[in-house]
Every structure is written in C-alpha cells, then in structure tokens.
Amino acid sequence: MDCLFCAIVKGDIPSTKVYEDEKILAFRDINPQAPTHVLVIPKTHIPSVDGINAENSAIVAHIFEAIPQIAKAEGLTEGYRVVSNCGDHACQSVKHLHFHVLGGKQLADSMA
Ligand code: AMP
C-alpha cells in the first residue's frame, strides 16, 4: 500500500518526531497552521475516522491518552485544538488516520 504516513512510521520518509511508543507516533506537520502543529497517528493503517470500529478503537483511546502529554510537552498551557479531517468534504489529504494538535496562539473561533 502506498501510504505516506505508513512510510513515515517505517522511517522511509523523515519526520520530526515529538512522541513515539509501540503503537503511535506524533510528529510535526510539514506545513504548520499554528505555532504548534503536531500530527498524532496510529502505527497501524486505518484510513480515517470512518475506519474506526470495535476491533481497532483502543488505539484511538491510546492516542487521546497521549495527546495531553504531548500538549504539555509542547507547552500548550492555554489550550489547544484537536482535529481529524475525514473524507473529501473535510479535505482529508492523507488517507491514514491522524489527529492534528494545534496551539500556541489564539485559534479562530470558526472551525468550518
Ligand atoms: P489532512 O489534510 O487533514 O489529511 O492532513 C494531512 C496533513 O499532513 C497536512 O496538514 C500536511 O501538511 C501534512 N503532511 C503532509 N506530508 C507531510 C510530511 N511528509 N510530514 C509531515 N506532515 C505532512
């Protein structure tokens, strides 16, 4: 399968890692939209939020346990936003489940 984020997990494409354990990886977005813009992904391939089910949802819980630690390490004491784009209407460009963690400034009130 030709998946950019699977290639990052394998180390075939470089990334700036901020967190890693046996199940998940977090790295800096190559085109940051805020002073802190980190992507948190499962190492296993799940195409999007639409691909989450009873068999694989534990990885999502694990990601959301890690996000506060990542936010703390990034100094996001004033808050942050977690976003996952799913499908074409949401402009998902990489078809591997990922959560954007954005912060480090006052973010826009509008999300759409
Ligand atoms: P989305 O549009 O929600 O699918 O988000 C995909 C994100 O991946 C975008 O914010 C891109 O800037 C980011 N991205 C694409 N290629 C890379 C890469 N090689 N390293 C880090 N981030 C990337």
Side-chain angles (χ1 to χ4, degrees), residues 4-5 8 13-16 27-33 37 39 47 83-87 90-100 102:
L4 173 65
F5 286 175
I8 286 178
I13 292 175
S15 68
T16 306
F27 53 96
R28 298 200 187 283
D29 195 292
I30 204 167
N31 182 26
Q33 297 186 33
H37 187 169
L39 302 173
V83 175
S84 189
N85 295 318
C86 177
C91 304
Q92 182 185 3
S93 60
V94 179
K95 309 301 190 209
H96 181 124
L97 180 65
H98 53 283
F99 295 90
H100 298 257
L102 299 143

Side-chain angles (χ1 to χ4, degrees), residues 34-51:
T36 295
H37 187 169
V38 170
L39 302 173
V40 190
I41 70 170
K43 289 187 171 178
T44 53
H45 185 83
I46 299 171
S48 72
V49 168
D50 236 17

